[in-house]
Amino acid sequence: MPEKSGAEILIDILVEQGVDTVFGYPGGAVLPIYDALFQQKKIKHVLVRHEAGAAHAAEGYARATGKPGVVLVTSGPGATNAVTGIADAFMDSIPLIVLTGQVATNLIGSDAFQEADTVGITRHCSKHNYLVKDPAELATIVREAFSIATKGRPGPVVIDIPKNVQVATASTDVKRPARTRFTYAGEADYAEINRAVELIANAKAPILYTGGGIINSGPAASEALRELAELTGAPVTSTLMGLGAYPASGDAWLGMLGMHGTYEANMAMNQCDVMVCLGARFDDRVTGRLDAFSPDSVKIHVDIDRSSMNKTVRVDLPIVADVGTAMRQMIDVWKGRKYKKQSLEDWWARIAGWRAVDCLSYPGSTQEIMPQYAIERLFEATKDKSPIISTEVGQHQMWAAQHFHFDAPNKWLTSGGLGTMGYGLPAAIGAQLGNPNALVIDIAGEASIQMNIQEMATATQYRLPVKVFILNNEWMGMVRQWQELTYESRYSESYSDSLPDFVALAEAYGWKGIRCDDPAKLDDAIAEMLAYDGPVMFDCRVHKTSNCFPMIPSGAAHTDMILNADQVSGTMDDEAKALV
Amino acid sequence: MQIKQELTERHVLTLTVDNEAGTLARIAGMFTSRGYNIDSLTVADISEDHTTSRITIVTKGPPPVIDQIIAQCERLIPVHKVTDLTEAGPHVERELALVKVNGTGDQRVEAMRLADIYRARVIDATVNSFIFEITGGPDKIDTFVTLMREVGLVEVGRTGIVGLMRGAGVS
């Protein structure tokens, strides 16, 4: 009976599962797997410069390609460094397979060199995890892990493999049956779909509130959403994670909702009579003050995860199903029963009134580059190239969400739930590896970019032409903004002191560096960035004290948006201060 | 600013789970990480082939939180089935306690008398100590333990409750 080592079995199963790229960093406890990788040609290994970068790169790869991202790191610090990315993928429902080395089984628990309780540490920030104790179990576990990571609500799965399990051999010709011990929602119950369609068809002020679940469900779900919006005539808004599912150029588009969403989206959410939540989860950044959240609407919630139902907001009609399938069912029922699109003229007239507020307008300047202007010009220069945009976390992220517009899914990579600074550059690298011909841009802040700046070397090594567009205002802008809103502008530690010279840094890593601080020269500088066949770091010096508006302050209702800086008070009561 | 407390209900949940390493930690840890309460938790292998365990958890929370607890339990891969016995209807709950009482003379006689009334069995005795075994609902055991404090209680061990639905149905 032919036998193979655990490491060889692992590689075989990864190939069987369609893996072509692994993001990793070697170390003592994964040397047998690295040796097996060296001796094959089917899987490309991408060497990152820090394990956090590996996890975020795999997330970017997964988000941009729709396939699971695979991470390979060593035991102890390798695994703990990857934890932020695992937690990030768990919050944003990104399918990852994280392979971690572990000390040999006989050493587990002895505080061996580079030992950490990886399974314990990742238990509550992964969808599932395993400690493999026998190479004979490896094939079954890895197959099940792929299934768990990608089916139902996607998420990260960690497989901890002790070094002796990688070396020991097991028989390979036993085709073990795949375990089927978990179920996941697919099609919705037709009674529920009928009721949902009836509610939408009779609504005077419906709204489709969409989220990242539509992106996760696949391109067909985005198609279904467009058709559903067209059939019903309802306006569409989206969470940060769902941008691109409905085209920003579409007639029904209201813009993003939530804390930094548009006035029209938030007012429409507040005033609607039927809310259809499609693959979103009523996050606190979306709802604002819960007791004032859309008080008079009937709420329909389609989600693949039962635990999302009634978690924060009580809904009237929960539908546990794949959101793409459920929307297709709604379309079939709508057509089958020959419902007619309502005129909804009054509703759209009210929306037009809110739109007229022009909430995304900002003061212009001929002296300095306004950060919003920089995003607008970047969008204008790249919109015909169907770019993939990643972001870090902070003001620049929200400005990108507001002023960059997406017409297709899988083009927008951002850390929504966990809010991880340092996500954007490695995510852009992962997205570029999955889409070698795409234009990939990380819209960054000067503070966030420094959190995983070592990954510049990864882009250099693999000749990845990623662009990093830094909105450099010399502040941790979102922290400063909250200090202005809440703590009377006591700027505790939010100034970005001792910044590197980003142009010189770019050149040191073999990148091109561009600096621009003049709005009149911005378009040319962006064109120069896009024309360069290789990685570029763009240090865009923007107006230093701009804040991100509109904004629903902490603990406020959708109707209490701050539209511009004049409305900022500088203090808040303790109840509001306690909210994140 | 004061931190608000909500009114809570007591619920008994039973979970059918895969009998494998880490399952208990996964469930208990989920309760901790999401801020849910565990009043008691029991777990034992219940299947012929040793692949399945049954966990009984007594928890407290406002009704929406109980719903969330059930949904979060169901979301865990090794959890196959969750039943809320409290919601499911009539059911029996039983717990076993071992109660050690030290004493001599009248105190010892009184302990013995009370144990008899509560149908507790003596499973160990010396000239100055007893260990009683008592089975019942949690209220009965609470009351018994309170009484024993008066007559020389030195140590208690409780199993936490297990429960089954009344009648032919299964949970």
Side-chain angles (χ1 to χ4, degrees):
Chain A
M1 200 183 284
E3 296 227 332
K4 282 189 170 180
S5 72
E8 289 165 335
I9 294 170
L10 174 67
I11 301 291
D12 285 351
I13 305 295
L14 292 180
V15 170
E16 173 203 290
Q17 296 293 322
V19 174
D20 52 21
T21 310
V22 170
F23 300 90
Y25 203 100
V30 279
L31 285 175
I33 298 174
Y34 271 86
D35 194 52
L37 270 174
F38 189 84
Q39 298 179 46
Q40 57 83 47
K41 289 204 158 57
K42 289 179 177 147
I43 296 174
K44 174 176 182 164
H45 179 273
V46 177
L47 178 68
V48 295
R49 297 303 186 270
H50 185 288
E51 289 89 349
H56 295 315
E59 286 188 274
Y61 176 90
R63 196 71 173 163
T65 63
K67 295 195 287 184
V70 181
V71 177
L72 173 59
V73 295
T74 193
S75 64
T80 56
N81 280 343
V83 166
T84 303
I86 296 168
D88 192 279
F90 191 47
M91 285 285 260
D92 284 345
S93 308
I94 310 291
L96 289 191
I97 301 292
V98 182
L99 306 161
T100 56
Q102 182 55 277
V103 300
T105 47
N106 56 307
L107 292 174
I108 288 177
S110 71
D111 299 323
F113 177 64
Q114 292 196 327
E115 182 185 357
D117 175 12
T118 303
V119 167
I121 290 168
T122 60
R123 187 172 286 131
H124 303 296
C125 61
S126 61
K127 191 172 171 190
H128 195 54
N129 64 14
Y130 302 88
L131 173 64
V132 187
K133 289 184 170 162
D134 181 347
E137 295 174 347
L138 202 49
T140 310
I141 286 177
V142 177
R143 285 186 186 122
E144 186 179 79
F146 272 88
S147 180
I148 290 171
T150 54
K151 297 212 165 90
R153 181 174 178 175
V157 178
V158 178
I159 309 174
D160 199 26
I161 312 174
K163 197 171 181 183
N164 57 342
V165 174
Q166 300 167 29
V167 176
T169 57
S171 159
T172 56
D173 64 354
V174 185
K175 201 60 168 162
R176 285 163 179 258
R179 283 204 282 184
T180 49
R181 59 170 173 160
F182 60 95
T183 55
Y184 46 91
E187 197 172 87
D189 185 57
Y190 265 101
E192 291 169 348
I193 292 290
N194 284 339
R195 200 167 148 229
V197 171
E198 209 171 287
L199 283 166
I200 301 168
N202 291 309
K204 298 278 173 282
I207 189 166
L208 306 182
Y209 150 42
T210 65
I214 298 181
I215 313 278
N216 277 334
S217 180
S222 294
E223 288 303 316
L225 171 62
R226 288 151 202 237
E227 202 174 332
L228 187 65
E230 177 61 35
L231 276 180
T232 59
V236 182
T237 181
S238 169
T239 65
L240 181 71
M241 293 308 293
L243 295 178
Y246 185 82
S249 57
D251 294 334
W253 180 240
L254 300 183
M256 182 175 77
L257 83 167
M259 185 171 271
H260 291 288
T262 64
Y263 185 69
E264 52 268 35
N266 286 327
M267 288 303 289
M269 285 289 279
N270 184 266
Q271 298 288 310
C272 67
D273 65 354
V274 173
M275 177 189 297
V276 191
C277 172
L278 300 163
R281 60 183 178 89
F282 298 95
D283 175 84
D284 58 78
R285 284 292 182 274
V286 159
T287 59
R289 202 176 88 216
L290 274 174
D291 59 10
F293 175 73
S294 195
D296 302 320
S297 61
V298 174
K299 297 177 186 73
I300 302 165
H301 186 185
V302 183
D303 201 296
I304 202 160
D305 181 357
R306 215 273 267 175
S307 75
S308 289
M309 301 297 175
N310 299 320
K311 186 159 67 177
T312 56
V313 171
R314 299 295 292 178
V315 298
D316 303 282
L317 178 55
I319 300 176
V320 180
D322 169 70
V323 70
T325 311
M327 285 191 290
R328 186 52 59 193
Q329 289 175 275
M330 287 182 192
I331 292 164
D332 291 346
V333 167
W334 185 285
K335 287 178 174 167
R337 291 195 172 187
K338 300 197 165 46
Y339 282 111
K340 290 275 174 299
K341 189 188 327 194
Q342 297 229 47
S343 76
L344 304 177
E345 265 172 34
D346 291 350
W347 181 226
W348 279 105
R350 291 172 73 194
I351 290 170
W354 296 321
R355 275 179 169 160
V357 169
D358 194 15
C359 67
L360 293 178
S361 65
Y362 56 92
S365 169
T366 52
Q367 305 301 312
E368 290 180 283
I369 300 174
M370 298 304 285
Q372 301 92 331
Y373 178 75
I375 305 275
E376 278 178 9
R377 296 320 299 166
L378 184 67
F379 172 67
E380 286 301 324
T382 59
K383 63 183 179 186
D384 297 331
K385 301 178 200 291
S386 190
I388 296 172
I389 302 293
S390 72
T391 74
E392 311 287 336
V393 170
Q395 283 183 327
H396 68 273
Q397 177 191 29
M398 291 298 115
W399 280 319
Q402 291 171 341
H403 297 277
F404 210 98
H405 307 294
F406 298 90
D407 277 357
N410 303 98
K411 302 289 185 193
W412 167 246
L413 324 173
T414 196
S415 171
L418 199 65
T420 309
M421 293 168 75
Y423 167 90
L425 173 56
I429 287 170
Q432 187 80 76
L433 277 153
N435 300 272
N437 299 318
L439 170 62
V440 182
I441 305 173
D442 171 26
I443 296 178
E446 87 290 333
S448 278
I449 190 63
Q450 293 184 81
M451 284 223 185
N452 271 319
I453 201 152
Q454 75 288 343
E455 298 308 325
M456 290 177 77
T458 309
T460 309
Q461 179 178 348
Y462 297 95
R463 301 176 192 281
L464 303 174
V466 294
K467 318 296 181 208
V468 175
F469 191 80
I470 303 171
L471 298 183
N472 183 350
N473 63 357
E474 296 179 14
W475 285 92
M476 291 163 218
M478 196 57 93
V479 174
R480 188 204 56 206
Q481 177 166 345
W482 279 58
Q483 288 171 338
E484 286 173 13
L485 254 62
T486 316
Y487 299 99
E488 298 171 309
S489 301
R490 288 186 294 277
Y491 297 136
S492 184
E493 303 294 329
S494 51
Y495 182 66
S496 292
D497 210 325
S498 307
L499 283 172
D501 176 339
F502 285 113
V503 171
L505 185 71
E507 285 160 5
Y509 272 111
W511 289 35
K512 182 182 177 65
I514 297 174
R515 179 171 295 121
C516 184
D517 58 5
D518 181 353
K521 293 179 184 155
L522 181 61
D523 284 350
D524 287 346
I526 289 174
E528 186 188 351
M529 172 179 85
L530 298 175
Y532 185 72
D533 183 21
V536 181
M537 179 162 267
F538 191 117
D539 181 12
C540 188
R541 298 296 185 92
V542 297
H543 183 247
K544 291 188 184 13
T545 54
S546 286
N547 281 338
C548 187
F549 295 107
M551 178 181 188
I552 302 172
S554 210
H558 277 174
T559 44
D560 300 331
M561 286 200 96
I562 299 175
L563 290 171
N564 55 58
D566 305 341
Q567 298 169 320
V568 173
S569 66
T571 52
M572 258 183 209
D573 63 20
D574 285 353
E575 297 275 348
K577 271 186 194 167
L579 295 166
V580 280
Chain B
M1 191 183 91
Q2 301 293 312
I3 294 183
K4 292 184 192 116
Q5 302 293 341
E6 283 181 276
L7 286 175
T8 61
E9 288 176 3
R10 173 184 179 275
H11 282 245
V12 180
L13 310 180
T14 63
L15 287 69
T16 310
V17 305
D18 284 329
N19 183 16
E20 62 184 26
T23 300
L24 184 59
R26 206 174 291 284
I27 292 162
M30 187 276 287
F31 273 73
T32 317
S33 66
R34 293 188 182 270
Y36 306 145
N37 297 303
I38 297 180
D39 280 3
S40 81
L41 186 153
T42 68
V43 54
D45 172 11
I46 52 155
S47 59
E48 242 176 289
D49 57 359
H50 307 293
T51 57
T52 309
S53 293
R54 181 178 171 105
I55 295 178
T56 311
I57 298 176
V58 181
T59 184
K60 278 202 193 88
V65 173
I66 300 289
D67 273 357
Q68 261 300 301
I69 290 174
I70 294 167
Q72 292 293 348
C73 285
E74 286 173 342
R75 205 178 162 202
L76 301 172
I77 302 294
V79 175
H80 294 274
K81 194 176 175 195
V82 183
T83 306
D84 182 348
L85 282 184
T86 308
E87 281 293 304
H91 64 278
V92 289
E93 294 173 21
R94 285 294 179 271
E95 181 176 6
L96 183 143
L98 300 179
V99 180
K100 184 179 283 184
V101 176
N102 289 359
T104 52
D106 286 351
Q107 205 183 21
R108 185 172 162 82
V109 175
E110 184 61 20
M112 195 64 201
R113 235 163 47 86
L114 287 167
D116 195 43
I117 294 165
Y118 277 80
R119 295 174 207 276
R121 288 202 308 142
V122 177
I123 56 169
D124 179 69
T126 65
V127 290
N128 58 357
S129 73
F130 285 123
I131 296 176
F132 296 116
E133 173 198 313
I134 181 168
T135 310
D139 289 350
K140 174 182 166 186
I141 293 177
D142 285 347
T143 319
F144 182 69
V145 170
T146 307
L147 284 171
M148 287 297 112
R149 287 191 203 286
E150 305 286 320
V151 291
L153 178 136
V154 290
E155 201 171 16
V156 185
R158 294 175 70 154
T159 58
I161 72 147
V162 292
L164 289 180
M165 274 161 65
R166 286 189 185 275
V170 294
S171 55

